[in-house]
Amino acid sequence: MTAVPAGQEPPQPGSLPSAGPAASGPDAAEQRLLESVRALRAPGSDPYGEQAGRHPDPAQPVRPGSSLTVERCLQLFDAQLASRHLDLAARWLRARGAGYYTIGSSGHEGNAGVAAALRLTDPALLHYRSGAFYLVRAAQASPPRDGVTDVLLGLVAAAAEPIAGGRHKVFGHPELHVIPQTSTIASHLPRALGLAFAVDRAAKLGLRTPWPEDCLVIASFGDASVNHSTAAGAMNAAAYTSFQRLPVPLLLVCEDNGIGISVRTPPGWIAASQSGRSQLRYFTADGADLADAYDTTLAAAGYVRARRAPAFLHLRTVRIGGHAGSDVESAYRSPAEISADAERDPLLGTARLLVESGALTPADVLDRYEAVKARVLALADGLAGASRLGTAAEIMAPVAPRRPATVAANLASRAGQVSDWPRHRVFGAQLPEDEGLLTLAQAINRALADELALRPGMIVFGEDVARKGGVYGVTRGLLRAFGPGRVFDSLLDEQTILGVALGAGLAGLLPVPEIQYLAYLHNAADQIRGEAATLSFFSRAQYCNPMVVRVAGLAYQQGFGGHFHNDNSLAALRDIPGLIIACPARPDDAAPMLRTCLAAADVDGSVCAFVEPIALYHERDLHEAGDGGWLARYEPPERWPRAHVPVGRARSYGDGQDLTIVSFGNGVRLSLRAARTLAAEGIGCRVLDLRWLAPLPFEDLLRAAAATGRVLVADETRRTGGVSEAVLTTLIDAGFTGRMARVASHDSFIPLGDAAAAVLLSQETIEEAARDLLA
Ligand SMILES: Cc1ncc(C[n+]2csc(CCOP(=O)(O)OP(=O)(O)O)c2C)c(N)n1
Ligand SMILES: [Mg+2]
């Protein structure tokens, strides 16, 4: 056990609040609930709450017409009570410096009915007020899990917490099929859509996923979150996909407590905005009425499961006790509003159901309440000093687990499986290795085809990739060869494209989404930064979302100008922990690097950004028109293992002794041209193509720098936040003491036409900087 930091003494058993209601003291909400329970009367009972002697059959409906039995209602009530007491325990732990999270589920415990109406094997991406849902799910497992302990371990950031291991307080567990979510509201909805799409797509492709074919995906979120563009985009994408008669078994559950922190949702807005939508069937239930929540979820889930179509379940809830422990809601809500919520307390609702059915007396309810409270608090007390993460190594272990040798072996074994016959079916009479010299675009195209043939779970999708074959023809012919099940056009929404990748990767497919231009990655960057890159971290690598995101980018396009088609900023990708960034410059690097990324995604669950320099797609020449210096042959499969380019290995050109020019992407071609000019002046250069921008090729860089003792970085990204900053600091950190300089593009956007050259790195600036450095 790690010691609790100073000032955070673990609570002593003697400091436990007593289980009696009188001791719950200042918690007005709790007092009010208990008073309301005491005032409940069973039909036919006398004014003192004595029953008329009914003991309903446990298998009977708890209310006529409901599918919820008395027995199930009692079980769910216990989960609701435990969830409420977890919220109280969270505040108690926090007050004692032993807990770190107080956003609770109070008022939302109706989601116990949602969980009960679904299957354990329905993957769930949950709102942060899902305590009762989680506890019900935990009880569904065989053997059942103690969900209370799981949640408490999360509250105290214990290393033993089953999903995030103390990295965050999230709901998640692989055995419960609960996938952990980030705190970014609505950001899980594109993934949820992608997962719903992928479970059916995988089945269609004859592939297994961790979930049964008739599963549905449940994603829950709050009412304020509905207005987020991420939610709007995901719901639109679900409806759009379903409109095309493609299966989308997605149950969207909006837990509408009428408020987002302090901002009221206009009363009626959720129903007004979501009911009657085409392709998104609307259901609504009273979250304070467990039987209604259960019955309505059964109906909604039945619809989604049978029709494989999305539905929106509007669960009307309340919020009890403020947004979080630190939130003083009386500052922005009137006492009348707070009381109105208390009257709709779901615990009171379930107590009423059970009392009215004759299953419990008010006194029984109070006993149950206290018994659960005592159990939860005793557990909280026991876990308050649980061991936490300590070292950076412990914390970072699941960021992006890497096994380079296994990646190489995976690649080699795939190469060993290649046989000519299916390749001829894909490529026709002429195999790519017999085509002669290829461009970068052609090499990527051929590698995609070979890999699609070898990896049955690989899917290629994005805007214009299928029928058109990509804006630059990189995916041409893939639709014809592999069919629309594996190569398809997406709707025009980068967030959805990445969401489909997130869900497909989670489902075990190998998604290769294309982002049409680097500039358009930026409007969906959170799906990589906040979602894709963090899943392994927040799940202790129990979940991963492998993907290779192809991004056409960088500058120097002839004829298609302006910033958005020539975006040269990679800063938003470069600082993402664990992300692999590949940037091939030449055809003979692009194909093996793509293979490495796919193998890494397959083997390690890696998230890879494969940045393709548009200006080099169709480039043929290096020095003179017609020299064919930028073309290369495609390696036949038997040579793939030998041609393997591991992540983080650079490529070196030349053996000049005066200067090492470090570059990547378009800069490699500019640098090679500059090196020739400089050679004519008697300056011997070698050029190092980094090839991988994350992780940077540390050892190759140091070796190349040491070879000449002088380094010039030629960086086509911006001076600020660009790659050159990382290269130079890497050299300094490593103790390199030789001369260093850099040339980069300006901190500007790219203008239209020839003016672009004024702000971009050029061959001439590289040459001048080299002369200066050597002067
Ligand atoms: C994208 C984003 N913006 C802001 C926040 C901060 N934030 C956390 S919860 C919240 C309100 C959410 O309200 P709602 O969706 O109604 O859920 P509730 O908390 O009421 O259950 C906000 C603004 C966030 N987590 N994510
Ligand atoms: Mg809300």
Side-chain angles (χ1 to χ4, degrees), residues 224-599:
S225 307
V226 168
N227 305 298
H228 202 280
S229 64
T230 314
M235 291 192 285
N236 178 68
Y240 176 100
T241 308
S242 184
F243 184 69
Q244 294 174 289
R245 301 189 185 285
L246 293 168
V248 187
L250 175 62
L251 179 61
L252 296 157
V253 180
C254 174
E255 298 189 8
D256 175 11
N257 58 21
I259 200 161
I261 304 186
S262 68
V263 180
R264 258 186 291 169
T265 294
W269 169 243
I270 298 298
S273 62
Q274 303 303 323
S275 61
R277 279 183 71 153
S278 154
Q279 313 298 324
L280 199 57
R281 177 72 70 89
Y282 174 83
F283 295 83
T284 183
D286 180 356
D289 178 345
L290 188 63
D292 188 25
Y294 179 75
D295 290 330
T296 307
T297 308
L298 274 183
Y303 170 85
V304 172
R305 210 182 295 282
R307 308 252 190 129
R308 315 308 285 163
F312 186 100
L313 170 57
H314 179 192
L315 188 70
R316 304 186 309 277
T317 68
V318 291
R319 191 187 77 187
I320 292 172
H323 176 74
S326 53
D327 174 39
V328 182
E329 62 174 346
S330 56
Y332 56 83
R333 291 182 97 190
S334 69
E337 284 173 87
I338 296 173
S339 306
D341 272 8
E343 274 160 35
R344 294 205 346 96
D345 188 330
L347 266 51
L348 181 60
T350 309
R352 189 179 290 120
L353 265 179
L354 288 164
V355 170
E356 287 180 355
S357 73
L360 297 180
T361 65
D364 294 335
V365 171
L366 294 175
D367 286 350
R368 248 180 146 94
Y369 182 91
E370 295 304 338
V372 174
K373 179 178 196 170
R375 182 174 104 78
V376 172
L377 287 176
L379 280 169
D381 187 38
L383 296 172
S387 182
R388 296 175 187 144
L389 293 169
T391 66
E394 264 182 296
I395 294 162
M396 292 166 66
V399 169
R402 297 234 165 94
R403 292 172 296 168
T406 319
V407 169
N410 172 280
L411 202 141
S413 85
R414 298 284 163 171
Q417 290 162 18
V418 178
S419 57
D420 277 356
W421 177 76
R423 291 186 84 220
H424 279 299
R425 229 178 34 182
V426 171
F427 292 115
Q430 195 174 40
L431 295 176
E433 54 269 33
D434 302 326
E435 283 185 77
L437 296 168
L438 301 182
T439 61
L440 180 73
Q442 288 168 329
I444 297 171
N445 173 269
R446 308 306 187 261
L448 284 170
D450 259 330
E451 292 290 321
L452 275 162
L454 282 171
R455 299 182 186 272
M458 178 172 157
I459 53 176
V460 171
F461 54 96
E463 292 151 21
D464 304 298
V465 302
R467 290 188 71 173
K468 183 174 166 68
V471 171
Y472 297 94
V474 178
T475 51
R476 196 169 289 153
L478 300 181
L479 169 64
R480 189 176 35 78
F482 297 97
R486 300 189 58 202
V487 179
F488 48 92
D489 287 320
S490 72
L491 77 176
L492 206 173
D493 179 23
E494 283 70 20
Q495 221 160 232
T496 296
I497 293 170
L498 294 173
V500 168
L502 288 160
L506 195 57
L509 299 177
L510 185 48
V512 182
E514 179 185 292
I515 300 292
Q516 202 161 76
Y517 288 97
L518 180 55
Y520 307 133
L521 180 72
H522 291 112
N523 74 41
D526 178 58
Q527 293 295 309
I528 293 185
R529 294 180 70 87
E531 291 292 315
T534 63
L535 183 64
S536 179
F537 183 72
F538 290 126
S539 69
R540 290 195 297 132
Q542 297 169 92
Y543 284 112
C544 63
N545 36 221
M547 66 177 76
V548 180
V549 186
R550 292 184 41 248
V551 192
L554 302 174
Y556 306 99
Q557 279 206 69
Q558 304 290 327
F560 199 18
H563 173 72
F564 298 95
H565 304 109
N566 289 273
D567 190 349
N568 62 338
S569 173
L570 294 169
L573 293 175
R574 281 209 42 255
D575 72 337
I576 301 176
L579 183 75
I580 292 174
I581 308 176
C583 186
R586 289 183 46 90
D588 43 350
D589 285 327
M593 287 170 72
L594 183 61
R595 268 183 217 116
T596 302
C597 286
L598 288 164

Side-chain angles (χ1 to χ4, degrees), residues 8 67 86 92 109 127 200 208 276 281 321 408 432 448 463 552 607 676:
Q8 298 178 4
S67 310
L86 279 169
W92 177 71
E109 293 91 343
H127 188 41
D200 269 79
R208 290 177 65 87
R281 177 72 70 89
L448 284 170
E463 292 151 21
V607 179
R676 189 161 91 153

